[in-house]
Amino acid sequence: MFKIVLITGISGSGKSVALRLLEDAGYTCVDNLPVRFLHEFIASTRESKLERVAVAIDVRSPGELAELPDVITGLRAMGTAFRVIFLDANDHTLKQRYSESRRRHPLTDRLQQGGKSPSLQECIDTERELLAPLREQEHVIDTSDLTPGQLRAWVRDLVQADRAPVVLTFESFAYKRGVPGDADLVFDVRCLPNPHYDSTLRPMTGRDAPVAEWLAQFGSVETMIEDIAGFIRRWLPLYMQDTRNYLTVAVGCTGGKHRSVYVIEQLAQRFADHSPLLVRHRNQPPPDLP
């Protein structure tokens, strides 16, 4: 089956990492393809009988980016299996990455006026404004506190997900690191009993049996899980009617290690019959890639 993945998003958010993962997975990859060539490129890949293709398009395509949402809509109307992944990160993370890499923002020269170069913040703000229409209608991954390994794992899981009315994603996170920007629904479980204060359980995670057994003994934990599950069951059909393709449910605790992880795992069990279903733990080590 012919599949095409479009990687886009904010400069410095990890698009190169995602594209390399897809290349390693057997995709034919093209970086910085001008928007006007997208139709022609897809047609040529079909003729060449390539089954998996990945394209990166971002703010480096001057004057054409505003046309991209309409181009994507047109391709989908023609029956193209088109999955778009929008990578984002908060301003602090982006500035830190630019500082470490010592690279210039791609908008630096285009925004230069009177011989004066714009600040990095001005470039980021302009880029967000240019990409806003695309971000609002596609799947977003906030890479702010993700390791490259985590990002590779998340992209791999996403592109392998079969097409369905809604890709349902359950994601745990740590409030001390901020609410992830890719979350659609956010639930706070910091009010639940905390295994962190048990020295035996502290090194473990919510995926370990001793932690799960400890949390399962509290009625409040079960009630919280059932309340969240009930909310999702009630409103998921309406989200599906809203023609959206993705719904990310984020559950947070203080450190993103015990309670939120356990609750996410329990929710995943309750919605195991939904396909495709993705499970992410933002503050846990990534799984080993095959």
Side-chain angles (χ1 to χ4, degrees):
M1 178 181 177
F2 180 71
K3 295 181 180 179
I4 184 164
V5 177
L6 172 62
I7 302 293
T8 187
I10 303 298
S11 302
S13 60
K15 295 189 296 297
S16 296
V17 173
L19 205 61
R20 283 196 296 270
L21 176 277
L22 294 172
E23 187 175 25
D24 292 342
Y27 280 74
T28 299
C29 298
V30 177
D31 188 18
N32 196 23
L33 181 72
V35 175
R36 63 182 179 275
F37 295 144
L38 187 55
H39 272 287
E40 180 180 343
F41 174 72
I42 292 176
S44 66
T45 54
R46 284 184 182 275
E47 293 175 0
S48 301
K49 297 183 179 180
L50 297 175
E51 294 187 352
R52 295 188 292 181
V53 177
V55 179
I57 298 178
D58 52 39
V59 77
R60 290 172 295 176
S61 298
E64 303 175 349
L65 209 54
E67 303 171 10
L68 186 55
D70 289 338
V71 171
I72 294 172
T73 300
L75 287 168
R76 285 175 172 160
M78 295 167 57
T80 304
F82 214 77
R83 188 178 296 280
V84 181
I85 303 175
F86 189 105
L87 301 183
D88 198 359
N90 60 46
D91 289 0
H92 173 75
T93 299
L94 293 174
K95 291 177 181 178
Q96 185 176 31
R97 290 173 181 173
Y98 271 102
S99 175
E100 292 172 353
S101 67
R102 298 186 179 182
R103 296 180 60 189
R104 301 174 76 222
H105 193 282
L107 288 179
T108 300
D109 291 336
R110 287 164 54 186
L111 296 180
Q112 191 172 25
Q113 293 183 350
K116 181 180 179 181
S117 296
S119 67
L120 178 56
Q121 185 64 58
E122 289 173 329
C123 291
I124 293 173
D125 291 342
T126 301
E127 184 176 25
R128 290 197 186 283
E129 183 178 350
L130 291 171
L131 292 173
L134 193 59
R135 188 189 192 282
E136 292 171 359
Q137 64 181 10
E138 303 299 344
H139 182 69
V140 179
I141 297 179
D142 180 358
T143 70
S144 297
D145 59 353
L146 296 185
T147 65
Q150 285 177 306
L151 177 56
R152 286 192 291 268
W154 288 21
V155 171
R156 177 203 59 190
D157 289 344
L158 185 60
V159 298
Q160 290 177 350
D162 293 332
R163 193 66 176 173
V166 171
V167 176
L168 180 60
T169 301
F170 290 116
E171 177 180 328
S172 68
F173 71 95
Y175 266 101
K176 67 180 182 181
R177 297 191 179 184
V179 177
D182 51 17
D184 296 303
L185 301 175
V186 179
F187 296 93
D188 182 353
V189 298
R190 287 176 293 181
C191 61
L192 299 180
N194 193 352
H196 173 81
Y197 297 107
D198 185 317
S199 59
T200 303
L201 301 177
R202 187 176 302 163
M204 303 180 188
T205 75
R207 287 178 288 185
D208 293 315
V211 174
E213 293 170 0
W214 188 88
L215 286 168
Q217 69 180 315
F218 297 99
S220 59
V221 175
E222 179 66 19
T223 299
M224 175 70 80
I225 294 170
E226 287 300 323
D227 283 350
I228 296 174
F231 182 92
I232 297 170
R233 288 193 191 99
R234 178 175 181 179
W235 294 106
L236 183 58
L238 290 181
Y239 280 105
M240 296 172 69
Q241 292 175 16
D242 191 37
T243 68
R244 68 169 59 220
N245 297 311
Y246 309 94
L247 181 68
T248 298
V249 179
V251 175
C253 62
T254 305
K257 184 176 181 180
H258 297 114
R259 294 167 291 181
S260 60
V261 172
Y262 173 75
V263 171
I264 286 295
E265 292 291 332
Q266 291 298 307
L267 289 171
Q269 291 181 22
R270 285 161 171 75
F271 287 87
D273 59 344
H274 183 96
S275 180
L277 177 70
L278 303 180
V279 177
R280 300 170 176 169
H281 297 297
R282 178 169 288 272
N283 302 112
Q284 297 296 304
D288 294 331
L289 292 177

